[in-house]
Amino acid sequence: MLEARRILLIIGGGIAAYKALDLIRRLRERGASVTPVMTAAAGEFVTPLSVAALAGEKVYSELFDLTNEAEMGHIQLSRVADLLVVAPGTADLMAKMAQGLANDLASTLLLATDTPVLVAPAMNVRMWQHPATQRNLAVLRGDGVHFVGPNDGDMACGEFGPGRMAEPLDIVAATEALLAVGPLAGRRVLVTSGPTQEPIDPVRYIANRSSGAQGTAIAAALAALGADVIFVTGPATVPPPPGVSVVRVETARQMRDAVLAALPVEAAVFAAAVADWRMSQEVTSKMKKVAGARPVLDFVENPDILAEVSRIGDGRPTLVVGFAAETDDVAANAADKRLRKGCDWIVANDVSAATGIMGGAENAVTLITDAGAEVWPRMGKREVAGLLARRIAVALGAV
Ligand code: C5P
């Protein structure tokens, strides 16, 4: 719920502006008040009248409006909110934000604010993929700006790909996560997720079937309890959840570096399916097919990130949770693994092909702690994540 929360909603000029109308409704349904600001271009897509009617508040759009300056100056306007939401976040607005431009009301508010900012980018796929936009995205992430979306999909311009604005309910979820006053508010936690990819040569790699669904759901559940989540993810098939700080990696070694850089954290959940091995030597040219000859691949072990963090000594997270994907003797193997890795809990699951768990929507887990094994009934990965997040909050003494 967003009871009594104040959102300053900046509507950029893009076709997705029509979704901002639904977003206003959804935010208000949850108890938030919404002060709308429209860029000049936004007015080409939705009318200030509809926006004001849905928000139940006047629309701000001009920087040099003396009446407003007398009522509420632009500096104050940018500070009274609990969160600034930019939806649609156009390429132009992102560029202005990254450069610190302040040549209209929206960009001035974004520069003058000291409250968190959530951007829901929306633009043509080529504009999103353009190096300039990706550069701006990286700058803004570095500045602490939060992002939700964009999603993949058909676009109004007839193209397909990333650039579609996140759906209003996803933006609401990200808003709730950012404003959460849940039991884990202010607590820093880390979640690793997804597979890793280990290059064989410049075109081939070794990976695994992890979709990242369970790790993503755990990160979302922890964020929903108010935690500051650092989400270190390999190339997963499901997108990262809103409201978390995403660090994207490919290899196990990159994941290890990202994890160590994220410390200290109070709890760390290692849900990633990290490749156990990588090629012993980096091959920089494509391996050629030679008639009759089989390739010889030589491997070395990857760093065991979970084991390393569990035994890191000073600065060890209070709670370290590992996963065990097993196909036989799940509980016994997982209990061994808990001791071998030195972690506090192991979430064990049976990933035999017949269970359909790897890449599926459900999970059947056994939680191994120092008190023994708890078998949880089969349930959705989101439910598993919700229960686990609660247990983590309890273990950290937060509830
Ligand atoms: O040894 P195994 O791969 O079965 O261990 C699984 C657990 O260890 C998972 O929590 C996984 O995220 C973590 N792990 C890791 N680094 C590795 C291998 C596994 O963090 N190199």
Side-chain angles (χ1 to χ4, degrees), residues 192 252 270-276 302-307 321-326 337 340-341:
T192 71
F270 291 88
V274 184
D276 291 319
N302 265 329
D304 189 321
I305 312 166
L306 170 63
V321 183
F323 271 70
E326 305 282 350
K337 187 164 292 181
R340 221 172 40 246
K341 303 259 188 181

Side-chain angles (χ1 to χ4, degrees), residues 51-272:
V51 172
L54 283 163
E57 288 194 29
K58 70 169 285 186
V59 175
Y60 293 84
S61 55
E62 292 302 326
L63 183 53
F64 298 104
D65 180 334
L66 291 177
T67 335
N68 289 343
E69 283 299 322
E71 285 170 8
M72 187 192 282
H74 61 271
I75 300 292
Q76 199 193 345
L77 188 58
S78 72
R79 305 244 172 108
V80 289
D82 297 303
L83 182 71
L84 267 65
V85 177
V86 185
T90 58
D92 180 67
L93 268 172
M94 282 177 58
K96 281 182 178 163
M97 288 172 73
Q99 293 301 315
L101 293 185
N103 55 4
D104 62 3
L105 180 62
S107 53
T108 303
L109 293 175
L110 285 160
L111 191 63
T113 194
D114 54 4
T115 33
V117 178
L118 171 70
V119 179
M123 65 197 73
N124 167 274
V125 54
R126 301 267 173 272
M127 291 169 78
W128 174 251
Q129 286 167 341
H130 194 284
T133 303
Q134 291 301 310
R135 247 188 339 262
N136 293 334
L137 176 67
V139 167
L140 292 171
R141 281 213 170 108
D143 290 345
V145 173
H146 303 275
F147 285 86
V148 50
N151 296 340
D152 279 357
D154 287 321
M155 310 199 56
C157 52
E159 292 189 69
F160 182 90
R164 257 169 81 103
M165 188 168 88
E167 294 305 320
L169 283 179
D170 292 335
I171 303 175
V172 169
T175 302
E176 285 178 331
L178 283 170
L179 294 179
V181 279
L184 290 177
R187 310 283 192 116
R188 218 173 125 83
V189 303
L190 167 85
V191 178
T192 71
S193 180
T196 63
Q197 288 180 354
E198 308 296 330
I200 295 174
D201 66 13
V203 293
R204 306 179 178 95
Y205 58 82
I206 294 170
N208 59 66
R209 293 187 197 281
S210 166
S211 62
Q214 187 63 81
T216 301
I218 291 168
L222 288 165
L225 294 184
D228 292 338
V229 182
I230 299 108
F231 184 64
V232 179
T233 177
T237 45
V238 296
V244 304
S245 306
V246 183
V247 184
R248 290 176 202 273
V249 297
E250 279 181 6
T251 66
R253 283 187 295 174
Q254 290 168 356
M255 184 170 276
R256 172 184 177 273
D257 291 347
V259 165
L260 294 182
L263 298 181
V265 295
E266 294 196 39
V269 181
F270 291 88

